[in-house]
Amino acid sequence: MRKRGVIAILLSALLLPPAAQAQSDPQVTDSKVGNFTLDLAVPESPAFTVLNLTPSTVSRPSSVQQLATSLLNGVDQNGNFQTGVALDFQPYMLMYGRLVTWNKYAAHYATRFASRTMVSVGTTKGASEADKSMRVALGVRLTVFDLGDPFRDQKTADCLAAAHSTALANVGLPVPPPKASQTTIDAYQAAKMKQLAPLETVCRVDQEERARKENWNNSSFIVAVAPTWTSPDGSSSNLSLAGAGYWTSLSYGFEGLPGMEDTSQFILHYRHRRNELIPTRTEGGPSFEQDSDTFGMRLRVGSANGTGSFEYAFNQRRVMGQPDDTSHRFAFAAERRISGNTWLTVSVGSEDGRADGAGGGFVLSSLAWSLNDRP
Amino acid sequence: MAVHQRKVNPANGPVTVTLSVGFKHVFSYQCVLMKEDGSSQQVVLRGTTIDKLPDEVILPMQAPQLGGMFLAVDGLLSPVKAGKNDTFSIDITVSQNGSVIGKKPIVVSAQTKVTVPILEHVEL
């Protein structure tokens, strides 16, 4: 029953329909303004975070995307090669987005809170002989506040609204009547778009670039929870509940500090993980359960298109019948927007002090993009 | 573009039109009252959905005079974040005596990643 539930969740997440179906067929006119984007880095998937498979231990609390997916390839903290995929989405926006107007979003905290809530479904598979396990996670991420929320940046919206109003005024009356020919209607719509195009381009170029530069590192605060399921032999029929993870991240964007407010971000992160099933590094060896706590901090320096970061994390692991094991993890990470909203993240570091001899150097990479951005 | 019907009852009171745009899009519009042939055009409401003003108007004609008239909702709608293939939704609610004519709003909904021109006619 439990396995069927997990599969059903994965399928429903992948097949979830958009909230509203087209009832009319408004003319969609492509324009050069579509070439400009306001997108910030795709957030780290909660599903990958709880599975300890994000390139950075310290998860950053960035703005969520309506629908995003992540791919992962790399060596995990136990030295085993992992591949995985995660799908992140905003259930409230998918179900009730039709009712979320700009003003309601700006005026009501509850609307923002519900809209930003992100659900994530992720699965990873060990690709080595020592670890053939399959792991599935279902994550929920709550954004308590986000000063970098692009939908609270009024300047871009104001610029677009002013451009619209100017274009409508320039075209003027009369508006085509209901029985006007399609040619007449098309010409009228084209005239509106022609009036708008240069004004909108200015808004997109100037305001979106300003917003990107100003908002990428703003302060925010998230909490998240994610139950996980593990199959030690990698078969879906043997998936069973393997505890859960809870974590929180608080970022500070140095707002009001010239020189740092658009270039730096400091993040504090705490994570608790219960009943995590850990495969041994020896082929055929038994898996074991552990609880762990991680406290980390991360300094990101850069711009909206790429950052370098340094992080430190203190980790304490508890395995029944064994003394507590503490370790320290240092990492340098680089995030770079490759094109559009596709981001490549690479981290290099080491973990020292583990009693089991695991840890040492590691390299992790992640490729992430948003599905609902440019095609 | 489409022509919708929301027939007013000549025996009832004033007619109210309300616009609501979901998914946090920016929509600027003019509502134009006109005869079927496009004559006698009168702008009854101009606005944008991102300001704090209500996107609602009581039509400046008595119900018996509105019979056979058309209301054009004419505007431009933009996603705030261009390049994202987001859903948008425009609800046009026509009410009389506090009751929604036709029981539900007219919903114009689709997906777009760029600005779209909107023109919808409502037969009153």
Side-chain angles (χ1 to χ4, degrees):
Chain A
M1 192 69 187
R2 182 182 295 152
K3 292 165 217 158
R4 285 182 188 166
V6 173
I7 292 166
I9 289 165
L10 278 167
L11 284 174
S12 61
L14 291 167
L15 299 176
L16 204 63
Q21 298 298 322
Q23 297 191 6
S24 182
D25 184 25
Q27 182 186 358
V28 177
T29 308
D30 208 343
S31 73
K32 289 183 179 177
V33 294
N35 294 331
F36 302 104
T37 65
L38 179 63
D39 304 302
L40 306 175
V42 179
E44 288 148 354
S45 166
F48 281 164
T49 302
V50 74
L51 295 174
N52 264 331
L53 289 170
T54 49
S56 296
T57 302
V58 180
S59 177
R60 60 185 159 73
S62 53
S63 299
V64 298
Q65 307 274 349
Q66 236 181 50
L67 186 63
T69 188
S70 305
L71 287 179
L72 178 138
N73 281 297
V75 179
D76 69 10
Q77 293 170 34
N78 298 301
N80 298 313
F81 192 78
Q82 302 286 336
T83 61
V85 61
L87 178 69
D88 307 328
F89 58 96
Q90 295 169 275
Y92 179 81
M93 287 303 290
L94 286 171
M95 287 188 283
Y96 300 112
R98 189 175 72 80
L99 306 174
V100 179
T101 65
W102 181 276
N103 286 335
K104 280 182 184 167
Y105 189 83
H108 300 290
Y109 175 79
T111 305
R112 292 195 297 277
F113 183 81
S115 299
R116 292 168 180 159
T117 296
M118 184 165 78
V119 172
S120 170
V121 183
T123 179
T124 66
K125 178 82 171 64
S128 64
E129 285 300 315
D131 179 13
K132 296 177 180 174
S133 66
M134 179 169 74
R135 288 180 280 177
V136 176
L138 175 66
V140 177
R141 200 182 82 155
L142 308 173
T143 302
V144 180
F145 71 83
D146 180 7
L147 300 186
D149 186 341
F151 291 104
R152 298 197 75 195
D153 186 285
Q154 189 73 26
K155 291 177 185 172
T156 303
D158 285 344
C159 185
L160 288 170
H164 289 174
S165 299
T166 302
L168 289 173
N170 287 348
V171 174
L173 298 177
V175 172
K179 290 192 174 174
S181 68
Q182 194 59 47
T183 306
T184 303
I185 292 167
D186 289 346
Y188 180 75
Q189 302 286 55
K192 289 193 297 188
M193 294 300 287
K194 185 179 178 183
Q195 288 289 329
L196 178 68
L199 303 170
E200 185 178 6
T201 300
V202 171
C203 291
R204 298 295 188 197
V205 174
D206 293 352
Q207 295 299 327
E208 292 195 354
E209 194 55 29
R210 174 199 57 75
R212 275 174 51 79
K213 287 177 180 173
E214 289 180 359
N215 296 342
W216 74 272
N217 63 331
N218 282 9
S219 299
S220 54
F221 179 37
I222 65 106
V223 294
V225 59
T228 64
W229 292 260
T230 298
S231 168
D233 63 3
S235 64
S236 58
S237 58
N238 286 330
L239 273 174
S240 59
L241 189 64
Y246 318 88
W247 68 98
T248 181
S249 288
L250 173 66
S251 75
Y252 171 54
F254 299 93
E255 286 88 353
L257 274 178
M260 297 183 75
E261 62 183 346
D262 294 332
T263 62
S264 307
Q265 184 183 44
F266 182 67
I267 306 169
L268 291 173
H269 175 78
Y270 169 74
R271 187 189 317 170
H272 176 69
R273 184 75 173 87
R274 291 176 67 88
N275 303 330
E276 184 178 12
L277 198 61
I278 305 293
T280 58
R281 301 176 73 186
T282 310
E283 185 178 351
S287 300
F288 61 91
E289 278 190 2
Q290 78 170 18
D291 293 347
S292 62
D293 289 286
T294 301
F295 174 75
M297 58 188 73
R298 181 176 170 191
L299 179 65
R300 301 172 73 210
V301 179
S303 69
N305 293 322
T307 64
S309 66
F310 169 76
E311 72 174 36
Y312 164 76
F314 170 77
N315 195 8
Q316 183 175 46
R317 282 173 292 275
R318 292 174 297 283
V319 177
M320 191 175 289
Q322 296 181 18
D324 288 359
D325 182 11
T326 60
S327 64
H328 305 269
R329 177 182 162 110
F330 301 89
F332 290 95
E335 292 175 292
R336 182 71 191 169
R337 188 165 75 154
I338 303 169
S339 65
N341 201 32
T342 303
W343 288 76
L344 176 66
T345 305
V346 178
S347 70
V348 180
S350 70
E351 185 173 9
D352 302 313
R354 287 180 61 157
D356 61 2
F362 63 84
V363 178
L364 276 173
S365 68
S366 166
L367 189 64
W369 68 93
S370 287
L371 287 179
N372 56 344
D373 285 349
R374 65 176 62 183
Chain B
M1 186 212 142
V3 180
H4 313 272
Q5 273 196 344
R6 288 296 184 271
K7 292 284 192 179
V8 302
N9 185 340
N12 284 346
V15 176
T16 303
V17 176
T18 307
L19 296 178
S20 177
V21 178
F23 293 100
K24 301 174 284 188
H25 280 78
V26 179
F27 181 52
S28 305
Y29 59 85
Q30 56 184 357
C31 293
V32 183
L33 206 53
M34 65 178 74
K35 292 182 178 174
E36 187 173 14
D37 62 1
S39 63
S40 303
Q41 295 204 0
Q42 180 183 359
V43 178
V44 294
L45 180 66
R46 277 197 179 100
T48 175
T49 56
I50 68 160
D51 60 22
K52 304 297 181 194
L53 301 173
D55 300 305
E56 181 179 284
V57 65
I58 298 172
L59 297 183
M61 296 171 85
Q62 298 299 316
Q65 299 170 290
L66 285 171
M69 297 285 283
F70 285 78
L71 181 79
V73 177
D74 176 33
L76 290 158
L77 178 141
S78 294
V80 173
K81 298 167 74 174
K84 295 173 67 67
N85 198 22
D86 271 350
T87 302
F88 71 84
S89 177
I90 302 172
D91 287 14
I92 306 167
T93 307
V94 184
S95 308
Q96 198 175 15
N97 286 2
S99 298
V100 176
I101 300 175
K103 306 290 184 190
K104 59 184 180 182
I106 296 159
V107 179
V108 180
S109 180
Q111 286 207 322
T112 183
K113 58 182 179 179
V114 295
T115 294
V116 288
I118 301 292
L119 180 57
E120 302 292 323
H121 289 93
V122 184
E123 184 179 0
L124 300 171

